[in-house]
Amino acid sequence: MQRGSNRLSVHRDEEMKQELQGLIRSGHPTRVEEWHDPEPAADDDPEVTTGPVPSPGATGQAEALRFEFARHLGRTTFPAGRSAVLRVLHERHAPDRLIALAEELPAQETFRNVQEVVSALGLRPEA
């Protein structure tokens, strides 16, 4: 038996899990009454997992760009050439800005990982 400072009982935990299951599975509110829906994110909230693709000229954006490429390419894509990278980005519905950046990659080069893709674009992570 787990003992802790939980204010809710095991039964209430299960009720809350059941209430949230529809929202988690569907990705959108599942209630008729609006007051049951969770409050939307504010304009000044930080972007956690999604957001616009950073421009390559911005300082400190190499890591963010590498993250965006890694999020859409994954590990199984590599080793790959430019055409394979573009194909995977199209298949996984990557943002147009990311595809446009990938089109600037050298056609003859083979990339072993996402870092080599970002480096081929002329971006280096800040030390």
Side-chain angles (χ1 to χ4, degrees), residues 65-78 80-92 94 98-99 102 105 111 113-118:
L65 191 60
R66 184 177 61 203
F67 172 75
E68 285 297 316
F69 271 113
R71 194 164 66 107
H72 291 286
L73 292 174
R75 293 181 181 171
T76 58
T77 305
F78 299 101
R82 182 180 79 174
S83 60
V85 168
L86 285 169
R87 180 181 43 79
V88 172
L89 288 174
H90 281 291
E91 287 174 357
R92 296 186 182 170
L98 205 60
I99 293 172
L105 292 169
F111 308 102
N113 54 35
V114 175
Q115 181 60 44
E116 288 185 4
V117 170
V118 175

Side-chain angles (χ1 to χ4, degrees), residues 47-70:
E47 296 174 5
V48 179
T49 57
T50 61
V53 177
S55 60
T59 58
Q61 295 299 317
E63 290 85 7
L65 191 60
R66 184 177 61 203
F67 172 75
E68 285 297 316
F69 271 113

